Amino acid sequence: MFELLGIPPQALFGQLLLGLINGSFYALLSLGLAVIFGLLNIINFSHGAQYMMGAFVAWMLMTYAGINYWWALLLVPIIVGASGVVIERLMISRLYHLDHLYGLLLTFGLALIIQGLFRNRFGVSGLPYAIPAELTGAQNLGFMFLPNYRGWVVVASVVVCFGTWFAIERTRLGACLRAATENPTLVGAFGINVPRMITLTYGFGVGLAAFAGVLAAPIYSVNPNMGADLIIVVFAVVVIGGMGSILGAIVTGFGLGIVEGLTKVFYPEGSAVVIFVIMALVLLVKPAGLFGRTA
Amino acid sequence: MSEAMAMTEPATAPFLSVRDLEGWYDESHVLHGVDFDVNAGEVVTLLGRNGAGKTTTLRAIMGTLAKRRGSVRFNGRELIDLPPRAIARAGIAFCPEERGIFSSLSVEENLMLPPTVSQGGLSREDVLAMFPNLKERLSSQGTKLSGGEQQMLAIARILRTGAKFLLLDEPTEGLAPVIVQQIGRTLSELKSRGFTIVLVEQNFRFAASIADRHYVVEQGRVIDMIPNEELEANIGKLHAYLGV
Ligand SMILES: Nc1ncnc2c1ncn2[C@@H]1O[C@H](COP(=O)(O)OP(=O)(O)OP(=O)(O)O)[C@@H](O)[C@H]1O
Ligand SMILES: [Mg+2]
């Protein structure tokens, strides 16, 4: 019990926790990508930049306006989500009649522009964001110390992910969304405003990324590249889970975070690539992804 | 004088009046000037061979055919430039040929999906009383239903919306005779409840059992109109039109 294959339990649980934290971000970000892809059929390459914006807007609210972490958690997804709404209305919506590749190129270009602007203004050294006073300290769980803030990140991510899952799979609004994902023309012919739904869905997906950014601000340093580094892994997560599958994105996000953590314990050299190896294997065996529907 | 106007106008203006309706799929010109009228409370069919343009006519009325021209007047309003959602809100409900049951929605969610567009639609209970088969399957996945049940669901869900004008595209296609009869009884009941129906049909025996008038569509035009009571007398002509 105390030693597993010669690994001390502290190291094991420590890496498991780290994996769970990374998984929390993978899950939130791949969930946003999946929601957007489901309805818009666009791979939102700006997602990493919008996550980074979330962290920066939280930092700016704190630094320039004295608005604390808890308010940021509420306000930042709304502010950054609103910027997503503007982007969808002004730009992305003009591309729906073209190949999906154009949406990908547009959002990729936007990501570069956004990151460039932030790099210009704030540099790349990273800005500090303090853990809120209520969540400093740690719990002694007997077998390990759990920092309160890290525990909170996992809880917040689980709650938001499953809240989103519930809203999409179990409510009337979610039923409209699922129907519009399948057949937008028919849903429009029932009198439902599909273009507005698409705009708000994009705003919501971007808001999820920004929420993840606020959660990340006290853990990782707030810097313009934080999203670019993370998003590559998140795309792999989405590919493994299956594009557009809500539950798939959540489960795969947490699961791969844990797998990555375990790899750090048992075979540290492989931890940086394990997700991509899994991605390659999944693509070979089940190209639609673990939870994807093969049409 | 205004009283005389008020008396003659509503009596003569049809509920739906389609004039010179043209339609395209990309560059392919499919409707070449469709004309027909539907009066309130009528059941009217569009008959015609495969590829004649019946489905396209319904799509052009509903607005889901992107490129269209001409005039579609409904309840005193011109619809030709409105988007589908505004046409639905004006009170026209659409049941597509492929039925359009959503596989990611349960039967209940499919049933409750179309929003109310005006007062006076059937209640959920009325609808389920009309289609008792659906009642036992409410929590099933929509596309797990049999073909006949899916067709009933596709009709059932548009009865709740309050729209009194229904466009039904081949509701009997590919269904067993006993189900066809059941759908026939349902349509008769809807007619008696005051619904106005445009029915696309290949099966003109079925059409004859419920319709008031038949329009014959050929190559993107309406080429003839036959009142139901004259159907027997025109049966030879109709066979020639339909190529049966
Ligand atoms: N999506 C489409 N793109 C291009 N052409 C189409 C499309 N749908 C139908 N057509 C063409 O338009 C013409 C009219 O088709 P439509 O579906 O309206 O016929 P229909 O009378 O409903 O036939 P059916 O009895 O087979 O349902 C046909 O020549 C058909 O090939
Ligand atoms: Mg047809």
Side-chain angles (χ1 to χ4, degrees):
Chain A
M1 171 65 218
F2 290 104
E3 290 226 348
L4 194 67
L5 301 172
I7 307 287
Q10 285 83 352
L12 180 65
F13 288 119
Q15 289 301 340
L16 264 182
L17 175 65
L18 220 58
L20 210 51
I21 306 254
N22 284 337
S24 302
F25 291 106
Y26 298 162
L28 276 173
L29 290 170
S30 61
L31 174 63
L33 283 175
V35 168
I36 291 172
F37 182 80
L39 194 57
L40 283 77
N41 259 313
I42 278 181
I43 303 171
N44 181 36
F45 260 78
S46 318
H47 216 67
Q50 282 150 338
Y51 158 83
M52 176 271 287
M53 279 172 77
F56 264 98
V57 173
W59 180 87
M60 287 188 245
L61 288 179
M62 175 77 92
T63 309
Y64 303 140
I67 292 173
N68 71 22
Y69 173 84
W70 302 104
W71 280 107
L73 220 42
L74 179 73
L75 293 176
V76 170
I78 296 173
I79 296 170
V80 180
S83 79
V85 164
V86 172
I87 287 172
E88 196 279 340
R89 273 295 83 207
L90 291 185
M91 290 181 249
I92 301 176
S93 62
R94 295 171 197 273
L95 301 180
Y96 292 137
H97 63 287
L98 298 173
D99 192 283
H100 307 325
L101 208 53
Y102 288 90
L104 187 153
L105 286 174
L106 173 74
T107 54
F108 184 60
L110 282 172
L112 294 181
I113 292 172
I114 295 170
Q115 277 160 19
L117 289 175
F118 276 83
R119 222 171 358 239
N120 241 0
R121 176 73 181 73
F122 297 100
V124 288
S125 50
L127 305 164
Y129 190 97
I131 292 177
E134 297 85 344
L135 293 175
T136 52
Q139 304 296 319
N140 187 350
L141 300 181
F143 52 90
M144 67 177 290
F145 277 93
L146 171 67
N148 289 344
Y149 188 77
R150 303 200 165 212
W152 155 251
V153 167
V154 176
V155 171
S157 172
V158 168
V159 168
V160 169
C161 283
F162 281 93
T164 303
W165 172 84
F166 184 86
I168 293 176
E169 298 296 338
R170 293 287 180 272
T171 66
R172 198 186 133 63
L173 188 70
C176 279
L177 200 80
R178 278 175 281 140
T181 299
E182 271 186 59
N183 188 343
T185 309
L186 184 57
V187 171
F190 286 150
I192 294 171
N193 191 337
V194 177
R196 188 173 65 196
M197 201 151 88
I198 290 176
T199 305
L200 293 178
T201 297
Y202 187 74
F204 178 78
V206 170
L208 276 180
F211 180 81
V214 183
L215 280 184
I219 305 187
Y220 310 118
S221 82
V222 178
N223 92 68
N225 298 328
M226 63 192 283
D229 301 340
L230 184 57
I231 205 67
I232 302 297
V233 182
V234 173
F235 281 129
V237 171
V238 172
V239 171
I240 294 168
M243 281 313 243
S245 160
I246 299 304
L247 195 60
I250 299 172
V251 172
T252 317
F254 282 105
L256 287 176
I258 291 171
V259 167
E260 205 182 26
L262 289 177
T263 314
K264 278 198 186 110
V265 178
F266 294 107
Y267 186 60
E269 299 82 351
S271 64
V273 293
V274 62
I275 288 184
F276 298 99
V277 172
I278 295 176
M279 178 179 91
L281 291 177
V282 167
L283 283 179
L284 285 174
V285 180
K286 204 162 177 291
L290 294 179
F291 296 83
R293 263 171 294 204
T294 15
Chain B
M1 183 190 151
S2 66
E3 198 171 289
M5 289 270 293
M7 285 184 63
T8 55
E9 251 278 287
T12 53
F15 201 17
L16 177 83
S17 176
V18 175
R19 286 292 172 276
D20 248 338
L21 184 62
E22 292 184 77
W24 290 259
Y25 290 105
D26 296 317
E27 295 310 305
S28 143
H29 197 170
V30 171
L31 301 182
H32 300 272
V34 172
D35 297 282
F36 69 99
D37 290 328
V38 184
N39 299 311
E42 264 189 321
V43 175
V44 162
T45 68
L46 302 181
L47 303 175
R49 297 182 195 210
N50 287 77
K54 307 177 296 290
T55 296
T56 309
T57 300
L58 296 195
R59 287 193 187 137
I61 294 170
M62 200 65 231
T64 56
L65 185 74
K67 201 168 167 195
R68 58 192 191 276
R69 194 166 72 193
S71 165
V72 175
R73 285 195 76 79
F74 174 70
N75 211 0
R77 260 177 89 190
E78 179 58 57
L79 303 183
I80 195 74
D81 289 321
L82 298 181
R85 63 173 185 275
I87 294 171
R89 298 264 167 201
I92 301 185
F94 179 45
C95 177
E97 190 169 9
E98 65 283 0
R99 295 170 191 147
I101 300 304
F102 297 96
S103 67
S104 58
L105 273 61
S106 67
V107 171
E108 166 103 45
E109 287 173 327
N110 268 286
L111 182 64
M112 302 310 283
L113 180 71
T116 303
V117 298
S118 69
Q119 298 297 306
L122 273 59
S123 69
R124 181 177 173 282
E125 287 64 38
D126 289 344
V127 172
L128 289 176
M130 212 177 234
F131 300 97
N133 310 34
L134 298 180
K135 205 167 179 173
E136 282 119 54
R137 307 291 308 270
L138 283 173
S139 56
S140 310
Q141 186 187 345
T143 45
K144 288 268 158 66
L145 297 181
S146 71
E149 287 167 334
Q150 287 191 34
Q151 186 62 63
M152 289 176 196
L153 178 56
I155 298 174
R157 67 181 169 191
I158 58 174
L159 303 179
R160 289 179 29 262
T161 65
K164 286 292 187 185
F165 192 97
L166 311 181
L167 304 175
L168 308 181
D169 199 347
E170 301 205 36
T172 65
E173 192 182 8
L175 300 181
V178 50
I179 307 206
V180 173
Q181 282 172 16
Q182 196 181 343
I183 289 177
R185 281 194 301 273
T186 305
L187 297 190
S188 303
E189 182 179 344
L190 291 178
K191 186 183 180 193
S192 70
R193 284 179 182 244
F195 282 89
T196 306
I197 300 175
V198 176
L199 178 68
V200 168
E201 260 304 331
Q202 300 260 8
N203 177 350
F204 78 86
R205 303 223 166 274
F206 174 78
S209 67
I210 40 170
D212 299 296
R213 294 184 298 130
H214 308 277
Y215 285 101
V216 180
V217 181
E218 195 171 290
Q219 295 186 349
R221 289 186 185 81
V222 169
I223 55 161
D224 204 352
M225 191 278 283
I226 305 173
N228 199 45
E229 56 274 16
E230 294 169 25
L231 197 65
E232 284 306 318
N234 287 288
I235 206 83
K237 194 164 76 169
L238 197 62
H239 277 290
Y241 286 143
L242 301 180
V244 287

